[in-house]
Amino acid sequence: MKQFKAESKRLLDLMIHSIYTHREIFLRELISNASDAMDKLYYRSLQDNDTGLNREDFKITIDLDKEARILTIEDNGCGMTKEELENNLGVIAKSGSLNFKQTQEQNDEIDIIGQFGVGFYSAFMVSDCVTVESRAYGSDEAYRWQSKGVEGYTIEPCEKEGHGTTIILHIKPNAEDDKYDEFLDDYRVQDIVKKYSDYIRYPIQMDLEKRRIKEGTHEKPEFETYIEKTTLNSMVPIWRKNRSELTQEDYNNFYQEKFHDYQDPIRVVHSSTEGSSTYHALLFIPAKASADYYTREYEPGLQLYASGVMIMEKCKDLLPDYFSFVRGLVDSQDLSLNISREMLQHDRQLKLIASRLEKKIKSELTSMLENDRETYEKFFQEFGLQLKFGLYSDFGMHKETLQDLVLFYSSTEKKLVTLQEYVSRMKDGQDCIYYACGDSVARIEMLPQTELLIDKGMEMLYLTDDVDEFALKVLMNYDGKEFKNISSDNLGLETEEEKKQAEQSAEENKELLDCLQEALDGKVKHVVLSQRLKTHPVCLSSDGEISLEMEKVLNAMPNSEMVKAQRVLEINANHPVFTALQKLYPDQKEKLGTYASLLYTQALLIEGVAIEDPVGFSNQICELMIQE
Ligand code: ADP
């Protein structure tokens, strides 16, 4: 007996003890695998010019044996070699151990079933023994894989006519609350197939018991039963159907099955075109970002079909990066079945389709933003970061597409707002869009720099994601209004009168300020009297293009060259601490130096920048505390 890999074992265990209410989905998972296996073989045969196979010959057969409690699903697809049986069924195919751990912690079964799409293992939700007999196309050997659960599995040679895979499920006995018998009932199984797998493009056949009037007894009818092979599915792919024929539930079921999500999508875009290019597209905006969405593991792209045959699982060229969260498929009649990946990239039709889809997605998002703000905000919570990365990337090339789709937290509205909304509320004479950066809204609200703007009743955008400020820098302006960090050196908010006063008091205190700056020994570019502080003693601002927030972000990146913002230490001339400083000048320069360093360190702490010498800082404070 062979052991399952650790993670598979856990997933399997979960399946066996599942209390998941939609156990019936095991059938759609197995049918979907069977259909994929036939797609694979058919596609391969087209590429190899193998004429031995006929698309019409492919089919899935379901067989029920009530007495023996056995449900069998058979396909004549590509089949699996011994190694493939081992590799595909002995481990979780699309693993990602980290995701699994996370969901384990949440201990949310549904989450796991959703996230993994569970696939083949879902068979264990309804069976106590699963047998897979498979013969790979072109091979004359067949193998039987069998498992009764977590203990492990066996693989041995077996007899099998023809290529393909037969999955034999031994259905669990009925338990008190769980009636597994339904999966042995013809009509129930027929219903499940119709509900989830109607669109599968190969016939799904089953022997159904039918009744007919006995011959010659029409007057006084008597019935006889007979068995007839029935095709259960309509075989029309959902994306080729008319929108009017489909319900939201049809889309949701299809989406969940196809993209292994347990939540319904928040938007569906179904579009078909005729004319210069003929294609059907069915796109979904997921409700939640998958656990790997913001990692390298995530593979973006749409499924690509050429005249109904899947030719690529993830076609990246159909979606711009910033819309990579969109799942879905495109079926085009203009693409050749034999097209190679390299050729696809340069295919004119494909580019045309991609550009149309981009517009469709944009307009769907715009309409969500305008008509269903609540849902849009949920969407933004999940995928807003990707849109902001999109704004920033390629030197702002996608500005037109994205700038009206991003949201930022507003200091006055206390919620997420668009740039357009901000600009529409700007005060007379306000010519900049003000923003503040920090780890969280709560932290930004504590920044001393916000005081002046709050005082003047100005709205600020609070930027909390690393990419935010970079995105705005690349944008440069919105609707002709420049973006301005409230911590930048010159906000230009003071009146002529205030300006004059400031200049005067800067002049009067010049020597003291110079002395403080000297004491800080190059750590800051200037020490100045602040125009923006009301009650706080100090803050830091930056002179030039690089803000403190950008410094933090850039330096946190791996392999980055260290960058430094040009710091300016601002002191509040109206704060008693400034009076204390004035008293120390010029006689107690040493103490003044200590104070300068203390104030600077405090400003760093407020800003959330790591301080260089925490021990020294602590000692300085203690010294102050023990002074008489
Ligand atoms: P997924 O289908 O999502 O990759 P599964 O656990 O359902 O994950 O299946 C794992 C793999 O086993 C599949 O990717 C496929 O390679 C193989 N497989 C499953 N069922 C079949 C089948 N009926 N015929 C051929 N290969 C199959």
Side-chain angles (χ1 to χ4, degrees):
M1 173 109 46
K2 299 191 177 190
Q3 295 292 312
F4 287 105
K5 297 263 156 49
E7 287 180 349
S8 306
K9 217 165 149 172
R10 277 155 68 189
L11 185 59
L12 205 57
D13 193 40
L14 210 113
M15 288 300 139
I16 293 166
H17 300 111
S18 169
I19 47 156
Y20 191 51
T21 44
H22 302 302
R23 287 201 193 103
E24 64 200 37
I25 56 129
F26 83 92
L27 202 55
R28 75 166 190 209
E29 300 286 327
L30 298 183
I31 289 174
S32 159
N33 281 347
S35 166
D36 287 350
M38 294 189 285
D39 270 350
K40 268 183 217 162
L41 181 56
Y42 182 56
Y43 182 52
R44 219 187 290 158
S45 74
L46 287 173
Q47 293 210 309
D48 299 348
N49 280 328
D50 177 351
T51 47
L53 288 165
N54 233 326
R55 180 134 180 225
E56 287 69 43
D57 297 336
F58 287 114
K59 64 171 190 284
I60 299 170
T61 314
I62 299 181
D63 189 57
L64 302 175
D65 182 341
K66 272 190 198 151
E67 309 289 287
R69 298 189 75 75
I70 284 178
L71 187 160
T72 311
I73 300 171
E74 187 174 351
D75 69 64
N76 51 355
C78 60
M80 284 177 272
T81 61
K82 188 178 177 207
E83 287 68 37
E84 283 168 336
L85 276 170
E86 179 109 23
N87 293 334
N88 296 340
L89 307 184
V91 293
I92 301 174
K94 43 189 167 311
S95 192
S97 46
L98 192 76
N99 308 350
F100 189 47
K101 273 198 211 104
Q102 279 174 354
T103 23
Q104 274 274 305
E105 275 159 25
Q106 288 168 6
N107 207 4
D108 189 339
E109 179 183 342
I110 305 205
D111 241 18
I112 296 179
I113 292 180
Q115 280 204 4
F116 282 87
V118 297
F120 169 73
Y121 281 179
S122 59
F124 286 93
M125 293 200 282
V126 299
S127 359
D128 47 25
C129 178
V130 177
T131 309
V132 181
E133 294 177 350
S134 196
R135 184 166 139 189
Y137 181 72
S139 161
D140 46 18
E141 292 170 358
Y143 288 89
R144 175 184 298 121
W145 179 101
Q146 192 167 55
S147 168
K148 292 192 166 139
V150 285
E151 295 79 41
Y153 59 90
T154 54
I155 294 187
E156 58 186 9
C158 71
E159 292 297 315
K160 183 173 179 353
E161 258 185 54
H163 55 91
T165 304
T166 310
I167 308 220
I168 304 152
L169 307 181
H170 187 264
I171 302 294
K172 289 183 188 178
N174 278 345
E176 213 169 288
D177 302 327
D178 295 314
K179 301 276 175 275
Y180 293 97
D181 277 2
E182 59 173 318
F183 304 120
L184 294 163
D185 179 86
D186 307 2
Y187 285 92
R188 176 72 178 120
V189 169
Q190 182 182 14
D191 280 349
I192 301 175
V193 172
K194 280 218 172 90
K195 179 167 173 196
Y196 295 108
S197 310
D198 187 64
Y199 66 91
I200 293 282
R201 283 172 303 105
Y202 303 98
I204 305 170
Q205 296 184 331
M206 188 162 85
D207 285 340
L208 274 188
E209 205 178 74
K210 302 220 158 160
R211 269 155 51 104
R212 68 180 160 211
I213 299 170
K214 270 189 180 169
E215 249 175 74
T217 51
H218 287 263
E219 303 288 299
K220 189 174 161 235
E222 264 181 62
F223 292 97
E224 66 176 357
T225 54
Y226 68 103
I227 303 287
E228 190 184 271
K229 204 164 262 326
T230 314
T231 297
L232 307 180
N233 54 330
S234 76
M235 293 196 280
V236 180
I238 179 169
W239 58 91
R240 293 204 173 195
K241 289 189 181 167
N242 245 325
R243 264 174 297 189
S244 55
E245 286 174 57
L246 296 161
T247 63
Q248 189 60 41
E249 200 191 348
D250 293 330
Y251 286 124
N252 293 350
N253 279 335
F254 175 78
Y255 168 78
Q256 293 203 0
E257 189 271 323
K258 189 97 180 166
F259 300 104
H260 302 310
D261 196 344
Y262 67 101
Q263 296 200 33
D264 291 335
I266 50 170
R267 278 292 187 282
V268 179
V269 180
H270 185 180
S271 91
S272 298
T273 61
E274 307 283 328
S276 65
S277 81
T278 317
Y279 69 89
H280 303 268
L282 185 52
L283 310 181
F284 301 91
I285 302 177
K288 268 198 141 4
S290 58
D292 66 353
Y293 182 61
Y294 288 106
T295 70
R296 271 168 213 265
E297 257 104 79
Y298 181 79
E299 253 190 277
L302 299 177
Q303 275 193 351
L304 184 60
Y305 289 75
S307 306
V309 179
M310 188 174 76
I311 58 171
M312 203 188 281
E313 182 70 45
K314 304 261 185 183
C315 180
K316 272 205 199 115
D317 306 307
L318 282 168
L319 280 179
D321 254 3
Y322 42 88
F323 290 155
S324 63
F325 47 82
V326 174
R327 318 291 301 268
L329 56 89
V330 170
D331 185 356
S332 164
Q333 275 157 19
D334 306 323
L335 293 170
S336 145
L337 274 172
N338 290 315
I339 196 162
S340 70
R341 267 163 205 267
E342 293 69 36
M343 272 160 66
L344 252 185
Q345 279 187 349
H346 305 291
D347 190 85
R348 215 180 56 83
Q349 288 297 340
L350 200 77
K351 288 205 166 102
L352 204 70
I353 298 175
S355 114
R356 293 222 187 134
L357 294 184
E358 174 175 350
K359 289 200 184 79
K360 282 256 168 219
I361 299 168
K362 157 113 198 232
S363 87
E364 190 65 32
L365 291 175
T366 308
S367 117
M368 197 190 338
L369 175 64
E370 285 168 2
N371 307 316
D372 184 1
R373 183 67 169 241
E374 202 181 321
T375 310
Y376 189 81
E377 283 181 22
K378 279 194 198 127
F379 155 80
F380 197 77
Q381 217 71 46
E382 298 293 319
F383 300 111
L385 199 54
Q386 189 65 15
L387 300 183
K388 292 188 287 191
F389 280 131
L391 261 187
Y392 170 63
S393 64
D394 302 328
F395 311 100
M397 233 170 75
H398 318 294
K399 178 174 165 159
E400 288 308 317
T401 315
L402 298 175
Q403 64 181 356
D404 287 315
L405 293 176
V406 293
L407 304 176
F408 298 101
Y409 185 89
S410 151
S411 63
T412 51
E413 303 299 303
K414 307 277 181 220
K415 60 174 194 189
L416 294 170
V417 301
T418 63
L419 294 174
Q420 209 271 323
E421 286 160 357
Y422 181 103
V423 168
S424 72
R425 282 191 290 267
M426 276 169 64
K427 304 209 153 195
D428 276 350
Q430 177 183 351
D431 49 9
C432 295
I433 300 174
Y434 294 104
Y435 67 87
C437 306
D439 292 342
S440 64
V441 168
R443 270 208 84 129
I444 300 176
E445 274 175 342
M446 287 188 266
L447 283 179
Q449 290 93 323
T450 57
E451 275 193 314
L452 175 68
L453 284 107
I454 291 173
D455 206 46
K456 292 198 183 290
M458 299 265 193
E459 180 172 359
M460 288 170 274
L461 298 175
Y462 287 170
L463 311 190
T464 50
D465 280 321
D466 283 357
V467 67
D468 290 353
E469 190 173 17
F470 294 92
L472 295 191
K473 288 261 177 219
V474 168
L475 264 187
M476 295 205 283
N477 59 56
Y478 177 85
D479 197 17
K481 313 285 188 288
E482 254 183 70
F483 295 103
K484 197 146 197 122
N485 187 333
I486 62 153
S487 297
S488 62
D489 54 340
N490 183 11
L491 281 183
L493 278 172
E494 60 280 336
T495 59
E496 283 305 312
E497 180 70 10
E498 286 166 333
K499 237 188 222 164
K500 231 186 240 154
Q501 251 180 18
E503 273 166 22
Q504 196 182 339
S505 83
E507 196 51 45
E508 284 165 17
N509 293 289
K510 185 171 184 318
E511 285 173 19
L512 168 60
L513 294 173
D514 285 350
C515 171
L516 290 168
Q517 184 189 346
E518 209 168 293
L520 286 173
D521 196 22
K523 292 194 179 80
V524 299
K525 196 175 171 200
H526 305 292
V527 176
V528 299
L529 293 180
S530 181
Q531 304 297 310
R532 70 187 107 211
L533 293 175
K534 298 275 157 194
T535 59
H536 291 78
V538 280
C539 74
L540 274 185
S541 61
S542 56
D543 186 6
E545 274 305 298
I546 300 190
S547 72
L548 283 160
E549 192 60 27
M550 290 166 81
E551 173 188 303
K552 258 190 274 176
V553 175
L554 289 172
N555 291 344
M557 294 207 286
N559 309 325
S560 67
E561 280 179 38
M562 283 303 181
V563 296
K564 231 172 163 53
Q566 303 268 22
R567 290 142 202 247
V568 177
L569 179 64
E570 301 198 5
I571 303 183
N572 183 352
N574 300 319
H575 195 280
V577 90
F578 187 64
T579 323
L581 294 175
Q582 281 175 318
K583 276 193 194 140
L584 296 176
Y585 188 80
D587 302 332
Q588 299 189 55
K589 283 201 179 152
E590 200 179 324
K591 201 163 186 184
L592 206 55
T594 309
Y595 281 19
S597 145
L598 279 172
L599 287 171
Y600 172 64
T601 312
Q602 288 177 43
L604 286 176
L605 285 171
I606 292 170
E607 207 58 49
V609 179
I611 59 176
E612 285 149 30
D613 181 8
V615 178
F617 177 61
S618 158
N619 288 342
Q620 280 178 338
I621 290 192
C622 284
E623 268 169 44
L624 271 181
M625 288 163 84
I626 53 179
Q627 268 176 22
E628 290 295 310

